[in-house]
Amino acid sequence: MPFVPDFTTPFRYRLNPHLAEVTPRARQWMLESDLVDDTHMLEYEMARIPELMAAAYPGASADDLLLSCDLMGIMFAIEDEDCGSHPRHSVAGIATRCKAMIQVMGGVDPGADDPVVLAFSDTWHRLCDGMSDTWVVRHRSSWKDFLDNHHTWEPVVVEKRGMPTLEDYLWERAYSSGMYVLYDWSERFSADRAEIPQPALEDPRLATLHRNCIYTIIAINDTHSLEREIRRNDPVPNLLKVLMHHERLTVEQSVERAKKMLADAIEEYLEVEFEYLAHWWRSGLPPRQMGAVEQRLRDMRNWTSSNCRWHCIVPRYDHVARDPERDRPGLPTQPAGRQGKDT
Amino acid sequence: MPFVPDFTTPFRYRLNPHLAEVTPRARQWMLESDLVDDTHMLEYEMARIPELMAAAYPGASADDLLLSCDLMGIMFAIEDEDCGSHPRHSVAGIATRCKAMIQVMGGVDPGADDPVVLAFSDTWHRLCDGMSDTWVVRHRSSWKDFLDNHHTWEPVVVEKRGMPTLEDYLWERAYSSGMYVLYDWSERFSADRAEIPQPALEDPRLATLHRNCIYTIIAINDTHSLEREIRRNDPVPNLLKVLMHHERLTVEQSVERAKKMLADAIEEYLEVEFEYLAHWWRSGLPPRQMGAVEQRLRDMRNWTSSNCRWHCIVPRYDHVARDPERDRPGLPTQPAGRQGKDT
């Protein structure tokens, strides 16, 4: 569309070498977990989740890349159901599911009612494998923030409280983006599963880096998704809607603001990344812990680059042509192991 | 001009707080050193040397910022004389001057014939102040490379050997840019004058960083200076001329290549900077030496940002409006201490 600019970032784009192997495995997992059916398979394919994750975690093993796709598939499934054009769930239903997912992380049995909760239980156990209790507690908290936001904010805020202010929007959107969950995976998906020590996690510079990486994602994603949200009469807020509403900007002016937000976020990211890294090296952290700190920064760069390029390859927003082989209804919905299930 | 795009870089732009104080001191030094006269003062002013240096070395002391301006004033003076529209010097004359400057660094008396050689002798002694013999030897070598290039390549190559290939052009232009001289100043202008240890200097990653920073400068500067060089019938080569000549590109196509060269250079710079810094921290260099390594990287970012923004404020290339107060002939050519000299 004419108002969508060519966003770019200065970070290298590289794909995980296991992408081709993992793509069908991730598709099969979505089917076997009952997270997509024939109707939703096209939407899932058009989201290009394996490509997004392969550039976000280019160094992950095949199993870890698959896990990242499965987890992102869960996020896709709940967003598609709860914020799509045909919501299946009432707000109370969304809250029930999110609370059940939070309980699963505390050890409660997932039950058999909701395939999302069941699938989440499977991925949660794979996620915790080999990680310290400290990391598990922290990661549970990241998921809780995401899930609480999911049932209290994104699908309901505009109808309940009106268009949020820019400040409120950026604050809440940071959680709804899922990025605080995804950041934790830099440790889980590294070869040695080394963890960032608490003082480096609590350094306010890291919060600034996290926020700026998220701003690059909001600026690009909200610009690309605006028309689709309008077309689907989707009640979720959007950066451009917020700017057009509160600052009475045209869509073109709000896109200019999004471009500036992207440039400013990258500039501040690079400033603070340099100082943060130098500070923790200088503090004498052991090399293994410094490796975890470095990996977090590499993955934020990777996320920034991956998200930006993903918008140039994903047909989801109708700004990129569909692949006639891959993006057609009903295919490939029947992997070998599932034939006959629906009979 | 329509073909000059809005180049941007992701690095923060910040000005040295001593800029306002240093600007008239630098102007006066140029006059007192006989490097500019009434005729050339307008050209000097329009080059906005203090602004360029203030963003390249934002943390330098006032005296060091002045020294950087004086040195850049010498580079300006010889480039303006030797590569301008009205060359004053024969090739033999240029060579004589460059060789005299090289001899001055070896301790030979500058004589009184050439104000450029005299002025260089003054700045050379200020440069060496407080630096180790190792740094002085290295810096002398950087100047020698620049000066040798200046009399054997830039003003003569096209007429003598025809339009250089892209590879040859980038190689030689790296020296003619003066950047290998300017890089050394990151150590001289830091508060503690700490020096980068030899192994970190010899790391091939640093050469890659140096080269990429230079590529950003070539891409932007050659695009901005093309028309002026054509208008002045300047025989110096230029990136766009090289591309148009050897690859039969239009000017617009060659500008697209320059834009891509800028983006690629920044992308590779950021990749390699991260790994270079992590490697030398990991190697256990003492903090003072690591401080010098970090400062070199900060200054390369600063140079990239400063050069880019300078092209948006400098009237030198006729792409920015002149300041009616500052950019007029004959002013300000007579500082207090020089009145009566020409009578």
Side-chain angles (χ1 to χ4, degrees):
Chain A
M1 297 308 297
F3 72 82
V4 176
D6 289 331
F7 291 108
T8 59
T9 81
F11 302 122
R12 185 159 288 174
Y13 179 80
R14 55 169 72 81
L15 281 170
N16 188 303
H18 305 297
L19 171 62
E21 171 201 334
V22 164
T23 299
R25 290 174 65 193
R27 185 187 296 128
Q28 184 159 347
W29 186 86
M30 290 294 287
L31 285 165
E32 290 181 355
S33 304
D34 273 330
L35 296 185
V36 289
D37 57 19
D38 281 9
T39 315
H40 287 81
M41 198 54 184
L42 176 61
E43 286 280 335
Y44 172 80
E45 278 297 329
M46 292 208 306
R48 298 289 190 270
I49 288 172
E51 282 83 348
L52 179 62
M53 305 315 287
Y57 302 104
S61 70
D63 284 347
D64 288 345
L65 179 59
L66 176 64
L67 177 55
S68 77
C69 292
D70 296 348
L71 286 157
M72 188 56 86
I74 292 173
M75 287 186 176
F76 162 83
I78 63 177
E79 188 187 317
D80 195 52
E81 288 190 12
D82 302 337
C83 308
S85 55
H86 308 291
R88 291 195 201 164
H89 285 263
S90 63
V91 173
I94 298 171
T96 300
R97 165 185 282 171
C98 289
K99 286 172 185 170
M101 291 169 75
I102 291 167
Q103 286 182 326
V104 158
M105 293 187 290
V108 172
D109 186 275
D113 293 342
D114 187 339
V116 168
V117 179
L118 258 173
F120 182 67
S121 176
D122 167 49
T123 53
W124 176 250
H125 290 104
R126 289 153 69 197
L127 266 177
C128 297
D129 178 49
M131 303 306 286
S132 73
D133 289 347
T134 308
W135 186 89
V136 170
V137 167
R138 163 155 61 86
H139 193 46
R140 190 191 303 168
S141 168
S142 301
W143 271 106
K144 184 173 183 305
D145 287 343
F146 169 73
L147 293 165
D148 283 344
N149 171 284
H150 184 67
H151 75 86
T152 63
W153 184 73
E154 191 168 37
V156 297
V157 61
V158 174
E159 288 174 358
K160 275 195 177 164
R161 288 182 271 159
M163 191 64 73
T165 64
L166 179 59
E167 188 183 1
D168 286 351
Y169 177 70
L170 294 175
W171 178 265
E172 296 287 351
R173 180 75 170 82
Y175 292 104
S176 83
S177 74
M179 288 306 299
Y180 290 114
V181 170
L182 301 162
Y183 288 147
D184 291 337
W185 301 350
S186 71
E187 297 150 281
R188 169 63 181 78
F189 297 157
S190 69
D192 63 0
R193 305 199 181 177
E195 298 175 15
I196 304 173
Q198 198 62 22
L201 279 174
E202 289 171 2
D203 183 330
R205 284 172 287 215
L206 185 61
T208 301
L209 296 171
H210 285 161
R211 193 176 63 243
N212 278 301
C213 176
I214 289 170
Y215 284 177
T216 75
I217 288 166
I218 296 175
I220 298 173
N221 185 257
D222 283 19
T223 301
H224 273 272
S225 65
L226 177 69
E227 285 175 302
R228 182 171 180 265
E229 288 163 12
I230 293 173
R231 196 165 58 239
R232 294 164 65 148
N233 201 24
D234 197 332
V236 299
N238 173 301
L239 175 67
L240 305 193
K241 287 190 212 166
V242 167
L243 290 169
M244 289 189 280
H245 180 87
H246 288 297
E247 305 190 18
R248 307 197 177 286
L249 303 186
T250 64
V251 66
E252 291 79 11
Q253 288 168 329
S254 62
V255 169
E256 283 306 304
R257 283 283 295 278
K259 281 170 69 176
K260 183 165 179 353
M261 183 168 149
L262 174 66
D264 289 349
I266 290 173
E267 182 181 300
E268 183 167 53
Y269 179 89
L270 288 173
E271 280 286 301
V272 176
E273 184 198 66
F274 194 103
E275 302 308 327
Y276 176 71
L277 203 51
H279 172 85
W280 288 103
W281 271 116
R282 208 173 288 265
S283 78
L285 279 189
R288 181 178 150 88
Q289 295 190 334
M290 273 312 298
V293 169
E294 287 178 6
Q295 192 57 43
R296 171 64 58 92
L297 301 176
R298 283 198 194 89
D299 281 342
M300 276 194 277
R301 291 179 172 206
N302 289 333
W303 256 111
T304 301
S305 168
S306 180
N307 173 71
C308 184
R309 188 75 71 95
W310 178 73
H311 284 88
C312 303
I313 59 172
V314 68
R316 176 177 170 83
Y317 303 109
D318 286 332
H319 298 151
V320 175
R322 298 183 184 192
D323 177 340
E325 283 305 306
R326 183 169 175 180
D327 302 315
R328 46 179 173 152
L331 263 178
T333 56
Q334 298 293 340
R338 297 257 303 185
Q339 282 169 1
K341 175 186 178 270
D342 295 331
T343 60
Chain B
M1 296 307 300
F3 73 83
V4 176
D6 289 331
F7 291 108
T8 59
T9 82
F11 301 122
R12 184 158 290 174
Y13 179 80
R14 56 168 72 81
L15 282 170
N16 188 302
H18 305 297
L19 170 62
E21 171 201 333
V22 164
T23 300
R25 290 173 65 192
R27 185 187 297 129
Q28 184 159 347
W29 185 87
M30 290 293 286
L31 285 165
E32 290 182 355
S33 304
D34 274 329
L35 297 183
V36 288
D37 57 18
D38 280 10
T39 316
H40 287 81
M41 197 56 186
L42 176 62
E43 285 280 334
Y44 171 80
E45 278 298 327
M46 293 207 307
R48 298 289 192 269
I49 288 172
E51 282 83 348
L52 178 63
M53 306 315 286
Y57 303 103
S61 70
D63 283 348
D64 288 345
L65 179 60
L66 176 65
L67 176 55
S68 77
C69 292
D70 296 347
L71 286 156
M72 187 56 86
I74 291 174
M75 288 186 174
F76 162 84
I78 64 178
E79 189 187 316
D80 196 53
E81 287 190 13
D82 302 338
C83 307
S85 55
H86 308 291
R88 291 195 201 163
H89 285 262
S90 64
V91 172
I94 297 172
T96 300
R97 166 186 283 173
C98 290
K99 287 171 183 169
M101 291 168 76
I102 291 167
Q103 286 182 325
V104 159
M105 294 187 290
V108 172
D109 186 275
D113 293 343
D114 187 339
V116 168
V117 179
L118 257 173
F120 182 67
S121 176
D122 167 50
T123 54
W124 176 252
H125 290 104
R126 288 151 70 196
L127 266 176
C128 296
D129 178 50
M131 304 306 286
S132 74
D133 290 348
T134 308
W135 185 89
V136 170
V137 168
R138 164 156 59 85
H139 192 48
R140 191 191 302 169
S141 169
S142 302
W143 270 106
K144 182 174 183 307
D145 288 343
F146 169 73
L147 293 166
D148 282 346
N149 171 284
H150 185 69
H151 75 85
T152 62
W153 184 73
E154 190 167 37
V156 297
V157 63
V158 174
E159 288 174 358
K160 276 193 176 164
R161 288 181 272 160
M163 192 65 72
T165 64
L166 180 59
E167 188 182 2
D168 286 351
Y169 177 69
L170 293 176
W171 178 264
E172 295 287 351
R173 179 74 169 83
Y175 292 104
S176 84
S177 73
M179 287 307 299
Y180 290 114
V181 169
L182 301 163
Y183 288 146
D184 291 337
W185 300 351
S186 71
E187 297 150 280
R188 169 61 181 81
F189 295 158
S190 68
D192 63 0
R193 304 199 183 178
E195 297 175 15
I196 303 172
Q198 199 61 24
L201 279 174
E202 289 171 1
D203 183 330
R205 285 172 287 215
L206 185 61
T208 301
L209 295 171
H210 285 160
R211 193 176 61 244
N212 278 299
C213 176
I214 288 170
Y215 283 178
T216 75
I217 288 165
I218 296 175
I220 298 174
N221 186 255
D222 283 21
T223 302
H224 274 272
S225 65
L226 177 69
E227 286 174 302
R228 182 171 180 263
E229 289 163 11
I230 292 174
R231 197 167 55 239
R232 294 165 63 149
N233 202 23
D234 197 333
V236 299
N238 174 301
L239 175 66
L240 305 192
K241 287 190 212 166
V242 167
L243 291 168
M244 288 189 279
H245 180 87
H246 288 296
E247 306 188 19
R248 307 198 178 285
L249 303 185
T250 63
V251 65
E252 289 80 11
Q253 288 168 329
S254 62
V255 170
E256 283 305 306
R257 283 284 294 280
K259 280 170 70 176
K260 182 164 178 356
M261 182 168 151
L262 174 66
D264 290 348
I266 289 173
E267 182 181 299
E268 183 167 53
Y269 178 89
L270 288 174
E271 279 286 300
V272 176
E273 184 197 68
F274 194 102
E275 302 308 328
Y276 176 71
L277 204 51
H279 172 85
W280 287 103
W281 272 116
R282 207 172 290 267
S283 79
L285 279 191
R288 181 179 150 87
Q289 295 190 335
M290 275 310 299
V293 169
E294 287 178 5
Q295 191 57 42
R296 171 63 58 93
L297 301 175
R298 284 198 193 90
D299 280 342
M300 276 194 279
R301 291 179 173 206
N302 289 333
W303 256 110
T304 301
S305 168
S306 181
N307 174 70
C308 185
R309 187 75 70 96
W310 178 72
H311 284 88
C312 302
I313 61 172
V314 69
R316 176 178 168 85
Y317 303 109
D318 286 332
H319 298 151
V320 175
R322 297 183 186 192
D323 176 339
E325 283 304 307
R326 182 168 174 182
D327 303 315
R328 48 180 174 153
L331 263 178
T333 54
Q334 298 291 341
R338 294 257 305 185
Q339 282 169 0
K341 174 188 179 271
D342 294 330
T343 59

